[in-house]
Amino acid sequence: MQILGAFLIMLSAVLLVTFSSSTQSGWRNLSQNYRFRENNGPKQWRFVTARMAKEGRLSGFRAALNIGADKLGLYLSVFALFRLWHPPLFVPWSDLTIHCESNEIEFHFSGSPDVVLQLKRDLGQEILVHRPKGNPAVLQSK
């Protein structure tokens, strides 16, 4: 009986954390505009650590984010254990504005302007290599 109680407490904690994370990070907002409905997107970087901010409130994805990029856009998903309330996303390049900082690159979403994805600069530059030439997503310095 104690094992069942401990399991239910752990399960409740996981559900609370995943729900809270989807709301606070802005993932939930992004999924309203950018939900990816196919099974496979390019998965090129797995278990990435990143930060997402919604209205200035920062949430971290510590080794839990999967990122793919191709000429069409950016694909985002989270580690399967945390997938509840975090559906996979696809964002076309035309909906992204990119800001370069000294140590990071920020991705801003036109469909959810209050949400920002922050990646380490090295990884951000690897991802940006996949943008098509002449893409409207313009690099801007802050």
Side-chain angles (χ1 to χ4, degrees):
M1 194 59 133
Q2 289 178 340
I3 293 173
L4 179 61
F7 173 76
L8 290 175
I9 289 171
M10 292 280 288
L11 180 62
S12 297
V14 167
L15 292 174
L16 180 64
V17 166
T18 56
F19 177 75
S20 172
S21 170
S22 76
T23 303
Q24 195 167 359
S25 69
W27 195 282
R28 191 172 179 171
N29 289 45
L30 290 174
S31 71
Q32 293 172 359
N33 295 310
Y34 300 114
R35 187 173 289 209
F36 185 57
R37 301 201 188 279
E38 296 179 26
N39 292 331
N40 294 329
K43 292 263 175 28
Q44 298 171 350
W45 300 274
R46 292 180 176 257
F47 306 110
V48 170
T49 295
R51 295 182 302 182
M52 285 184 80
K54 177 185 171 198
E55 299 172 349
R57 292 187 312 253
L58 209 55
S59 287
F61 288 91
R62 193 168 300 228
L65 190 63
N66 300 316
I67 300 175
D70 63 15
K71 65 181 180 177
L72 300 175
L74 190 67
Y75 302 81
L76 302 170
S77 65
V78 296
F79 179 65
L81 181 63
F82 306 113
R83 190 83 31 101
L84 187 61
W85 293 300
H86 292 83
L89 306 175
F90 166 73
V91 185
W93 289 114
S94 59
D95 282 11
L96 291 168
T97 304
I98 296 108
H99 297 273
C100 290
E101 298 287 329
S102 58
N103 295 327
E104 62 190 22
I105 291 183
E106 293 182 346
F107 293 82
H108 297 260
F109 308 89
S110 64
S112 293
D114 58 339
V115 179
V116 177
L117 172 65
Q118 299 173 336
L119 300 173
K120 290 186 179 179
R121 188 177 180 96
D122 293 343
L123 175 59
Q125 288 176 330
E126 285 182 51
I127 290 169
L128 292 177
V129 167
H130 297 278
R131 288 186 319 153
K133 294 189 190 272
N135 182 271
V138 177
L139 287 172
Q140 299 176 355
S141 297
K142 278 189 167 179

